[in-house]
Amino acid sequence: MDITNPEKEHTILEIDDLTIGYENKKVYSAISFAVKKGECAAIVGVNGIGKSTLLRTIGHLQPALGGTIKIDGTVISQMSMNNLAKRLSLVLTESIASKNMTVKELIALGRQPYTNWMGSLGEMDIKKISEAISMLELNHLADTKCYELSDGQLQRVMIARALAQDTDIILLDEPTTHLDLFHKVQILKLLKSIAHQTKKTVLFTSHEIEMAIQLCDKILILEGDKNSFDEPCKLIENKAFERLFPLDTIHFDATTGTFRIQK
Amino acid sequence: MVVLCGCLILSISLGSVSISFTDTMKAIFGAETQNESLTYIIWNYRIPKALTAIMSGAGLALSGLLMQTLFRNPLAGPFVLGISSGASLGAAVLIMGLSLFSGILSASVVSNVSLALASSMGSFLVLFLVIGVATKIKDTMALLIIGLMFGSITAAVVSVLSYFTHAEKLQQYVYWTFGSLGDLSWGQLGILGVAIVFGVGISIFSVKPLNGYLLGENYAQSLGIHLKKSRFLIIMATGILAGSITAFAGPIAFIGLAVPHLTRQIFNTTDHKILVPAVLMYGSITLLLCDIVAQLPGQAEVLPINAITSIIGAPVVIWLLMRKRKMIF
């Protein structure tokens, strides 16, 4: 892909006039934004606004009610399941069903879209798996069972699994919940370096707005009736963050890029 | 494999009529034995019985594994979808239901063949209902509940039937629920064999989706697995395996639930590439061993296989879990 399209500013994920929700309940409509190759972008907004629904819709876990989602110019509903799995990987909030796997086995499952009907690993698969393991510094844990891991370690393993899937886009649903400050920063910095080093597009939902402002290339703010998508500093200029929470409770300090509690 | 062969020979050489080990070997390998009837017993009674045990054990254990992985529930077994209840409904209707309408007729109708036919019809009726529902609903857990509900309905119908039936018919039904590995002709064995091969084949074909299911359905889907298709295949395989075994050998409990746990404990893996052949093996060995005990070597009496599987198996699983102190799933 890189050879045929050397253009750096290449749009990989394009969302156009998307309506999300469930059969009889619209959650959010008219969402449009585009993320470029190698960008790390966050989706922020208050609880229940539809961040996860949006992420699940882009991840094709639930159907879009209207509008289009394109990956590299192709509408995702027209892609085969296996092709989509080669373009887009997920890290979800739900815990995995079986934790009696070693870290390596779990990461190897990320190679499923590429393996044969038995799921045997080839040379390329093994290479990608070990790359993912060393990128997330999991070498010393490779043979540990998943039930022995801490939350932060498990999250890194899940990211490694998505990385081993070797997709253009990695979607993560609240990757920093249940983690302490240090591990939150560690995960977010990792996501940024994954995006910049591997030229994969990383898109995640988060409540860590202050960290996202410092680390992300782009931020999508869901406000209910409208949404803004831009670089963090431009969003600050446009006073986009100030509308996020009720002003009498929390106010946004544009100079430091942090939220202050109104006393 | 060696253990399996050992158990097989042991199972063949032990039975109500005591036959010496050398005679057994001679009979198996076609040499002349002292007594023609010994050869007859071995070829027409013991070998079919041992083969039934091997196939049933393997099939039940595999279908248990499939259900536990599909529903991500350690309590699932081959019969959670109501397959055995369907089979017992079929058997109950044949044994007890018919007698309600025409007492004379039923006596001649109830034979092993018709019983197998009725119970397989019952189990496939439930299976098709479940598959019909499975293609409609998205939530696998709802499917589990629906399977249990089908089970309750059929169990209730069986209770009503047994309430109105004669004592001897009820006894005949109860005997069927004990399960029996014997009494299969070579022809019936062939049918069972084809069904087992078919079920195992589908399962092997589903190894990759099964491994994907270990992460949960959403992750499985994100790995490119067709949820509905793979779910259909897995249910189909379970139905064919458990349905045909129940039809021929009665509702044999416990193997399907326990052997997958046993195997996971021993192999300490969740990879279905290892688990599928391993549960097939352990399932056969376990049921063969149970069969050997049930025959009460040297005695004329044969204990109900269904009781033996639980009496021997349950303590083993309890012991394994206590020893490991951790439930591996």
Side-chain angles (χ1 to χ4, degrees), chain A residues 12-256:
Chain A
I12 197 81
L13 178 67
E14 204 180 343
I15 313 286
D16 190 30
D17 196 25
L18 186 70
T19 305
I20 54 171
Y22 303 88
E23 242 168 74
N24 35 27
K25 189 178 156 245
K26 242 187 229 179
V27 173
Y28 210 106
S29 53
I31 305 172
S32 299
F33 66 99
V35 196
K36 297 193 177 94
K37 196 175 167 68
E39 269 184 342
C40 177
I43 303 171
V44 302
V46 293
N47 279 335
I49 195 88
K51 297 186 297 294
S52 293
T53 312
L54 173 60
L55 203 83
R56 290 167 57 89
T57 310
I58 300 172
H60 209 47
L61 293 180
Q62 61 185 78
L65 299 185
T68 52
I69 304 165
K70 283 186 196 165
I71 295 178
D72 217 3
T74 315
V75 179
I76 60 163
S77 51
Q78 285 168 6
M79 295 168 95
S80 76
M81 299 269 297
N82 207 52
N83 277 339
L84 184 64
K86 288 178 183 173
R87 308 305 297 268
L88 190 142
S89 56
L90 296 173
V91 176
L92 302 167
T93 42
E94 62 187 50
S95 68
I96 52 172
S98 168
K99 288 190 173 173
N100 185 33
M101 284 185 262
T102 65
V103 166
K104 208 171 181 176
E105 281 172 337
L106 195 151
I107 295 171
L109 283 180
R111 296 304 295 173
Q112 276 216 351
Y114 304 89
T115 52
N116 64 2
W117 67 277
M118 273 294 278
S120 322
L121 299 173
E123 225 171 275
M124 185 67 178
D125 301 314
I126 290 163
K127 185 171 155 261
K128 290 281 175 193
I129 292 164
S130 63
E131 272 174 18
I133 289 176
S134 50
M135 176 116 196
L136 285 132
E137 292 165 8
L138 293 164
N139 286 311
H140 62 293
L141 294 172
D143 296 314
T144 315
K145 293 274 183 183
C146 288
Y147 56 75
E148 293 172 313
L149 300 176
S150 70
D151 285 349
Q153 288 168 333
L154 190 61
Q155 192 60 270
R156 262 157 59 210
V157 173
M158 294 312 288
I159 295 171
R161 190 207 60 85
L163 198 61
Q165 204 175 327
D166 196 21
T167 54
D168 303 317
I169 302 163
I170 302 177
L171 299 180
L172 306 95
D173 195 6
E174 305 204 12
T176 54
T177 36
H178 306 305
L179 301 182
D180 61 37
L181 187 64
F182 167 70
H183 286 98
K184 275 179 180 161
V185 175
Q186 185 195 35
I187 294 285
L188 291 182
K189 283 182 83 169
L190 255 168
L191 292 180
K192 185 181 179 156
S193 65
I194 287 171
H196 291 186
Q197 280 177 33
T198 63
K199 292 291 163 210
K200 295 182 192 306
T201 301
V202 175
L203 181 64
F204 65 95
T205 61
S206 185
H207 286 294
E208 310 305 327
I209 304 172
E210 296 173 3
M211 291 183 207
I213 289 172
Q214 293 178 53
L215 285 166
C216 291
D217 302 311
K218 295 277 174 68
I219 294 179
L220 173 71
I221 308 178
L222 298 181
E223 287 174 61
D225 46 353
K226 57 175 264 186
N227 59 69
S228 335
F229 180 75
D230 215 328
E231 288 165 30
C233 53
K234 294 219 174 104
L235 289 169
I236 294 173
E237 268 174 43
N238 297 337
K239 302 190 186 307
F241 292 107
E242 274 146 63
R243 296 188 296 264
L244 204 52
F245 300 114
L247 270 175
D248 52 346
T249 325
I250 299 162
H251 116 109
F252 183 74
D253 184 357
T255 47
T256 55

Side-chain angles (χ1 to χ4, degrees), chain B residues 71-201:
Chain B
F71 292 117
R72 297 174 297 286
N73 188 330
L75 285 177
F79 301 135
V80 283
L81 294 177
I83 289 163
S84 76
S85 332
S88 48
L89 180 67
V93 167
L94 181 75
I95 297 171
M96 305 189 289
L98 283 181
S99 72
L100 287 181
F101 301 110
S102 56
I104 318 124
L105 186 88
S106 65
S108 55
V109 167
V110 179
S111 68
N112 285 327
V113 180
S114 60
L115 205 53
L117 211 65
S119 49
S120 55
M121 267 163 60
S123 57
F124 274 88
L125 175 75
V126 173
L127 178 67
F128 283 125
L129 282 174
V130 170
I131 286 179
V133 172
T135 50
K136 289 258 158 57
I137 60 168
K138 203 166 178 262
D139 191 348
T140 311
M141 291 308 153
L143 190 62
L144 183 61
I145 308 286
I146 289 167
L148 289 173
M149 292 302 115
F150 277 130
S152 299
I153 295 169
T154 49
V157 175
V158 172
S159 317
V160 171
L161 280 175
S162 13
Y163 181 75
F164 285 110
T165 198
H166 304 292
E168 77 241 50
K169 291 286 160 194
L170 188 59
Q171 194 184 26
Q172 202 179 353
Y173 172 72
V174 171
Y175 269 120
W176 177 81
T177 63
F178 285 158
S180 164
L181 296 170
D183 308 330
L184 258 72
S185 69
W186 280 98
Q188 288 169 308
L189 261 181
I191 299 171
L192 181 61
V194 170
I196 303 280
V197 167
F198 209 58
V200 172

